[in-house]
Amino acid sequence: MAGLKISFYGSSLVSAYWNGAATYYRGIIRALAARGHTVTFFEPDAWERQQHRDIADPDWARVVVYPNDEASARKALEQGRDADVIVKASGVGVFDSLLEAGVLEVRRSDAAVIFWDVDAPATLASMRENPGDTLRPLIPRFDYVLTYGGGDPVIGAYRAIGARDCIPIYNALDPETHHPVAPDKRFQADLSFMANRLPDREARVEQFFLNAAARLPERRFLLGGSGWGDKQMPSNVNYVGHVYTADHNAVNCSALAVLNVARDSMAAVGFSPATRVFEAAGAGACVITDAWEGVEQFLEPGTEILVAKDGAEVATLVDGLTPERSRRIGDAARRRMLDAHTYGHRAAEVESLLLTGTPAGKVPA
């Protein structure tokens, strides 16, 4: 089978700075490359991401960084027009409307064009609430809409506005990048949490993380991510700022438990596990997550992940967690990830969709 040539327009492949989709992009694209496909990733020099790179240009994708101006964005579209598959991801951050219309215009007649939504709740809200949204009238022209989560509510919403088909390609584990390592004293904690500060996340972080820290003043909590520097926190919270991906394994392996907190919008639609769930589980960490619909489709509550409905339950779980139980849960989660939720599994779904029109199976229950 000859490999497909894919042009991918996204926020950044080489920098995770204010770019939570980086791990997802890397996992999917690396796995597609391993299956014989050739990917060129086009990303703008914007939001200081190039100044905060955390990987060099990889050998499994060609990276084209273009200047942050309209002429350069149009040139990038021309450079990618000869692909068999052209992907426009949501949230590039600059010239999104131009790129969304542009990929449909430059496509070859025999090429597939995909809108890949890495934040479906936000995208759908914009299309629903903004009469002048430029993406909505374009959706029926894309061959597929792929999302990194959302389940039936997101699928139904996209089909209702004319999408030919909407298929979730969920987050997953890249075992080459996220795996167990030795604990690091810099990141020792009873509970760690990493995420950038965003408006629709902050209240839930207060409830599930900071509230739990306040309830357990004798325990150590670690917070990583951009934007939290001026946030008032309990004295037992160690804020370490932006954590480069090279240190993610160390953070995940240095805490008794790792917290996942979904953004408001992601929790509301369900079936949207964050990248950090797979990263942490892949490193063998014991993950405590806020409750969201569909969690059992990915990890079994009680044996592979712990679920809390509020900060009080998070505190109770942390207080009652022994190192032995933490290891059992983390080991079970890692086995589940390797068996059913790697980017190799996800790439097989994408490849089958592109070659046959049907994704290869469903996410195993």
Side-chain angles (χ1 to χ4, degrees), residues 2-9 13 28-42 60-64 76 79-89 108 111-114 116 146 347 350-351 354-355:
L4 295 167
K5 185 176 182 179
I6 302 171
S7 292
F8 200 116
Y9 297 85
L13 190 67
I28 290 282
I29 291 171
R30 185 203 294 266
L32 286 170
R35 301 181 73 86
H37 308 295
T38 303
V39 180
T40 300
F41 194 98
F42 296 90
W60 36 265
R62 175 175 171 243
V63 178
V64 175
Q79 289 176 294
R81 71 181 307 154
D82 63 340
D84 303 305
V85 180
I86 303 179
V87 176
K88 165 60 176 69
R108 298 192 328 244
V113 182
I114 294 170
W116 204 319
L146 303 184
V350 175
E351 178 185 82
L354 294 174
L355 296 177

Side-chain angles (χ1 to χ4, degrees), residues 289-365:
T289 186
D290 59 336
W292 42 272
E293 187 177 0
V295 60
E296 68 284 347
Q297 183 171 318
F298 302 92
L299 291 166
E300 181 63 33
T303 58
E304 297 171 337
I305 194 170
L306 300 176
V307 180
K309 71 174 186 296
D310 55 28
E313 286 199 354
V314 171
T316 298
L317 288 170
V318 171
D319 202 36
L321 189 62
T322 64
E324 294 74 22
R325 188 178 183 219
S326 172
R327 282 195 295 272
R328 285 198 304 272
I329 292 171
D331 288 346
R334 178 167 166 76
R335 288 194 298 271
R336 179 73 174 272
M337 291 292 112
L338 294 172
D339 287 346
H341 299 301
T342 69
Y343 280 112
H345 294 100
R346 306 297 191 251
E349 296 176 37
V350 175
E351 178 185 82
S352 179
L353 177 68
L354 294 174
L355 296 177
T356 70
T358 304
K362 297 180 179 179
V363 176

Side-chain angles (χ1 to χ4, degrees), residues 77 88 95-106 134-135 138 141-142:
L77 287 166
K88 165 60 176 69
F95 302 109
D96 277 285
S97 295
L98 183 155
L99 294 169
E100 285 150 8
V103 293
L104 293 164
E105 297 304 323
V106 302
T134 59
L135 175 61
L138 300 179
R141 296 175 58 190
F142 286 92

Side-chain angles (χ1 to χ4, degrees), residues 124 136 139-140 152-166:
L124 288 165
R136 179 170 182 146
I139 288 297
D152 288 343
V154 167
I155 294 170
Y158 262 112
R159 289 178 176 169
I161 60 175
R164 299 180 191 180
D165 205 354
C166 175

